[in-house]
């Protein structure tokens, strides 16, 4: 990033670095200033976290650099004219505007007229009206994260450091908080991770005396959530964007397909439901751009379809302040409505694969936050569908795992002799049959048969299907006499 800033400032006087809180934008700007100190006659950092703070910093600039001792008494337009005059008559200076997302009219504060210097702007949001070279703040690479941790915790081995970095999603601020907390509390990395697993984001909200950074992961992003929530009160597009973001926080972090929500839009709240109309792609883009402006999501397209990603710690912080029941239930209803395929086309297999990690995550959240039997049954239905999709892919071991998960729920909710339980028994039997484990397959088919004969009778089509399934197993075993016997029953 330091190299990119240097290169861009060679060709453009203004460079903006955009990214979510905790990505290290401020630290990068400070480091850039130190590295290039000899190239500038003056370097000045303005805190743009509010217009009032920014104006106070301009007055401090006037006192320190323009010898205007009564700057605190002058009106701001006078201070700004003096500042512009100074910029026009000096060269080789670097002005850093930090936290610029909180100053919506930043353009009016930048130098006007002819000026000769460099400007570096840090913001969590895309800034309108400012012409600049734009860079995106990035996470640590795995290698940089391990090096960072081992510098701060000298006895940390590479595997432990990698595990810590991966758990915290390579976010610089999260790693800074973690190593400071670990050192201060004299924990090993394993002990810290055990604590994090138990208490999650609360651990990252602990302020350590061993770091000079004043914010924690929770405070950095809570401010962003508060801001977009306030805007959503008066703007329908922002409200729809916020609703979409809340749903995304209960999905897997990466590659969330927008078509997942479009296909399930009937289960989403208004105004998001109307905003996701399939033929309104410009509005889809408006919603995504709103979230990108706040650096809450990133987006890329594959074959024209939008895939959204949300950093997993942003998900955790967001969920820390949400009322889970409403949004988890909404995600569950979308999942049940959408995740149902015939596996007759390549497109359906692709949809299954794209939606699978998000279905798993939604189901996991449901098991934590929703305890009613209807929700449990919906989760079991999703687990059955996961098993079926994996079976069609030929991954029988994994499919069995999900069928058994579904079975555990059905047996708990309905007992061992209910038709829904029998459906899962049947899925397990079919899986064993596909694997060639015919003895186990027969065992499960006979269990299904006992339930269906009891509930449906011996002449019901579902019972007949079970007769036929048993016949197929005997046929595969080469026992044609028994196969015929069961075929005649069917």
């Amino acid at each position: 990033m330091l190299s990119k800033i240097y290169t861009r400032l060679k060709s453009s006087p203004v460079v903006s670095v955009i990214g979510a809180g905790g990505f290290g934008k401020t630290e990068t700007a400070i480091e850039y200033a130190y590295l290039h100190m000899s190239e500038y006659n003056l370097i000045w950092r303005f805190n743009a976290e509010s217009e009032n703070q920014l104006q106070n910093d301009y007055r401090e600039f006037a006192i320190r650099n323009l010898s205007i001792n009564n700057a605190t008494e002058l009106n701001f337009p006078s201070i700004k004219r003096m500042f512009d005059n100074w910029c026009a008559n000096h060269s080789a200076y670097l002005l850093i505007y930090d936290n610029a997302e909180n100053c919506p009219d930043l353009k009016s504060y930048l130098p006007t007229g002819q000026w000769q210097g460099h400007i570096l702007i840090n913001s969590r949001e895309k800034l309108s009206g400012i012409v600049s070279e734009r860079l995106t703040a990035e996470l640590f690479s795995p290698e940089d994260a391990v090096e960072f941790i081992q510098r701060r915790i000298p006895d940390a081995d590479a595997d432990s450091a990698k595990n810590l970095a991966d758990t915290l999603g390579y976010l610089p601020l999260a790693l800074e908080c973690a190593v400071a907390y670990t050192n201060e509390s004299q924990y090993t990395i394993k002990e810290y991770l055990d604590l994090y697993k138990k208490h999650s984001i609360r651990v990252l909200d602990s302020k350590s005396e061993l770091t000079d950074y004043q914010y924690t992961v929770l405070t950095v992003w809570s401010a962003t959530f508060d801001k977009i929530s306030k805007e959503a009160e008066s703007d329908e597009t922002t409200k729809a964007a916020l609703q979409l973001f809340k749903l995304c926080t209960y999905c897997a972090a990466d590659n969330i397909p927008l078509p997942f929500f479009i296909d399930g839009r009937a289960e989403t709240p208004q105004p998001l439901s109307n905003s996701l109309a399939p033929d309104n792609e410009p509005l889809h883009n408006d919603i995504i751009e709103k979230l990108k402006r706040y650096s809450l999501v990133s987006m890329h397209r594959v074959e024209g379809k939008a895939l959204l990603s949300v950093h997993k710690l942003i998900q955790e912080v967001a969920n820390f302040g949400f009322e889970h029941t409403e949004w988890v239930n909404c995600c569950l209803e979308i999942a049940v409505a959408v995740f149902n395929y015939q596996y007759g086309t390549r497109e359906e297999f692709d949809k299954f694969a794209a939606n699978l990690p998000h279905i798993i995550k939604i189901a996991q959240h449901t098991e934590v936050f929703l305890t009613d039997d209807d929700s449990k049954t919906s989760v079991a239905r999703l687990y059955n569908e996961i098993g079926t999709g994996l079976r069609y892919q030929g991954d029988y071991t994994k499919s069995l795992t999900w069928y058994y998960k579904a079975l555990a729920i059905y047996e708990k909710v309905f007992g061992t002799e209910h038709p829904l339980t029998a459906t899962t028994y049947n899925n397990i039997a079919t899986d064993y049959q596909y694997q060639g484990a015919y003895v186990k397959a027969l065992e499960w088919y006979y269990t299904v048969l006992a339930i269906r004969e009891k509930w449906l009778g011996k002449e019901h089509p579902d019972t007949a299907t079970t007769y036929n399934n048993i016949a197929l197993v005997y046929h595969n075993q080469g026992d044609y006499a028994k196969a015929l016997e069961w075929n005649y029953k069917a």
Side-chain angles (χ1 to χ4, degrees):
M1 181 58 71
L2 292 167
S3 176
K4 289 178 181 178
I5 292 171
Y6 180 78
T7 301
R8 299 295 176 88
L9 283 175
K10 287 288 187 183
S11 58
S12 171
V14 185
V15 170
S16 300
V17 180
I18 311 297
F23 274 58
K25 300 182 297 297
T26 297
E27 299 302 317
T28 302
I30 292 171
E31 184 66 14
Y32 184 85
Y34 276 113
L35 283 175
H36 298 279
M37 190 182 299
S38 63
E39 301 170 30
Y40 295 105
N41 297 321
L42 180 139
I43 298 174
W44 195 266
R45 175 181 174 268
F46 293 101
N47 187 350
E49 65 181 19
S50 71
E51 290 201 61
N52 185 59
Q53 177 64 55
L54 185 53
Q55 290 183 11
N56 286 339
D57 280 8
Y58 269 90
R59 288 187 165 88
E60 181 67 18
F61 181 94
I63 293 170
R64 295 275 297 275
N65 303 303
L66 309 182
S67 299
I68 310 298
N69 295 327
N70 66 335
T72 56
E73 303 168 11
L74 298 177
N75 61 43
F76 183 72
S78 298
I79 297 293
K80 180 60 166 54
R81 283 194 296 271
M82 296 175 189
F83 170 78
D84 288 339
N85 185 59
W86 183 92
C87 290
N89 291 285
H90 291 76
S91 60
Y93 51 84
L94 173 64
L95 305 177
I96 300 170
Y97 292 83
D98 213 6
N99 306 313
E101 69 279 354
N102 291 318
C103 186
D105 193 28
L106 182 65
K107 182 181 179 181
S108 67
Y109 287 90
L110 301 183
T112 57
Q114 297 295 321
W115 55 278
Q116 309 171 67
H118 288 162
I119 292 176
L120 179 58
I121 301 171
N122 285 333
S123 177
R124 297 181 203 173
E125 304 167 17
K126 292 182 179 179
L127 303 171
S128 59
I130 296 176
V131 178
S132 69
E133 286 283 325
R134 185 177 293 165
L135 296 171
T136 301
E138 298 172 351
L139 299 169
F140 274 142
S141 68
E143 297 76 17
D144 285 343
V146 170
E147 181 180 353
F148 171 79
I149 293 167
Q150 290 184 313
R151 284 187 180 185
R152 297 291 300 281
I153 309 176
D155 60 346
D157 63 88
D159 287 341
S160 296
K162 174 68 168 61
N163 192 15
L164 176 61
D166 187 61
T167 299
L168 299 182
Y170 303 96
L171 182 74
L173 174 57
L175 294 176
E176 166 68 18
C177 293
V179 296
Y181 190 98
T182 299
N183 286 329
E184 188 174 68
S185 304
Q186 297 184 357
Y187 282 143
T188 63
I189 289 180
K190 182 183 182 305
E191 289 170 335
Y192 177 86
L193 288 173
D194 288 342
L195 189 70
Y196 180 79
K197 184 177 181 181
K198 184 177 181 180
H199 297 287
S200 187
I201 206 69
R202 290 182 179 86
V203 179
L204 288 175
D205 194 37
S206 301
K207 184 73 172 67
S208 170
E209 296 300 322
L210 297 183
T211 178
D212 59 359
Y213 194 72
Q214 61 179 313
Y215 301 110
T216 66
V217 171
L218 190 62
T219 57
V220 160
W221 283 329
S222 293
T224 300
F225 301 147
D226 290 345
K227 189 171 182 180
I228 190 173
S229 296
K230 187 168 183 61
E231 184 182 335
E233 293 174 3
S234 58
D235 182 77
E236 289 282 283
T237 302
T238 305
K239 185 175 182 180
L242 182 59
Q243 290 171 336
L244 178 62
F245 171 71
K246 287 180 178 181
L247 296 175
C248 286
T249 64
Y250 295 101
C251 297
D254 297 320
N255 299 322
I256 307 167
L258 186 64
F260 174 71
F261 299 110
I262 294 173
D263 293 343
R265 65 191 178 281
E267 312 302 329
T268 64
Q270 294 290 9
L272 180 59
S273 183
N274 286 342
S275 301
L276 290 177
D279 59 350
N280 200 347
E281 191 168 339
L283 186 52
H284 302 170
N285 294 334
D286 289 344
I287 292 172
I288 294 171
E289 283 303 314
K290 186 74 69 172
L291 295 175
K292 287 170 65 180
R293 196 192 97 195
Y294 281 97
S295 299
L296 293 175
V297 306
S298 59
M299 187 271 287
H300 69 282
R301 293 186 184 275
V302 175
E303 296 180 352
K305 296 176 181 177
L307 300 177
L308 308 176
S309 294
V310 184
H311 192 280
K312 60 184 178 181
L313 289 187
I314 294 183
Q315 289 183 315
E316 286 193 40
V317 173
N319 290 342
F320 187 74
F322 286 171
E323 171 54 49
H324 299 290
T325 303
E326 175 187 358
W327 297 102
V328 173
N329 188 65
C330 184
C331 283
L332 180 62
E333 290 177 353
I334 295 170
V336 170
V338 170
F339 199 62
N340 184 19
Y341 310 106
Q342 298 302 311
Y343 305 101
T345 64
R346 180 74 264 164
E347 181 183 8
E348 289 193 311
F349 275 100
D350 289 343
K351 281 187 175 182
F352 170 82
N355 290 333
L356 177 59
H358 310 294
I359 297 298
I360 292 172
K361 204 67 174 178
I362 289 168
Q364 290 172 343
H365 282 303
T366 302
E367 291 205 78
V368 172
F369 296 115
L370 303 180
T371 58
D372 60 286
D373 285 350
D374 285 345
S375 298
K376 291 177 182 177
T377 303
S378 292
V379 169
R381 154 121 165 65
L382 293 176
Y383 287 164
N384 259 327
E385 192 63 42
I386 292 171
T388 300
L390 292 171
R391 187 178 76 206
Y392 274 109
Q393 289 183 342
D395 198 338
Y396 303 123
T397 302
K398 284 186 179 178
S399 65
L400 267 178
T401 299
W402 290 100
Y403 284 142
Y404 275 115
K405 284 179 178 286
L407 180 61
I409 296 173
Y410 280 136
E411 286 185 334
K412 187 173 182 178
V413 174
F414 297 109
T416 58
E417 295 187 358
H418 192 276
L420 285 174
T421 310
T423 298
T424 307
Y425 290 154
N426 189 78
N427 288 335
I428 292 171
T430 304
D431 213 305
Y432 280 126
Q433 181 181 344
Y434 279 27
Q435 292 183 61
Y438 300 125
V439 175
K440 283 190 174 182
L442 278 175
E443 176 186 336
W444 286 96
Y445 278 137
Y446 277 118
T447 302
V448 174
L449 182 61
I451 296 171
R452 287 181 171 170
E453 285 186 337
K454 177 181 177 180
W455 281 78
L456 306 174
K458 294 184 178 181
E459 296 187 358
H460 191 278
D462 288 353
T463 310
T465 298
T466 308
Y467 293 154
N468 189 70
N469 289 339
I470 293 171
L472 284 170
V473 176
Y474 281 126
H475 175 88
N476 291 337
Q477 288 181 308
D479 192 340
Y480 303 121
K482 281 190 175 181
L484 272 175
E485 176 187 339
W486 287 94
N487 279 144
Y488 278 121
K489 281 179 177 288

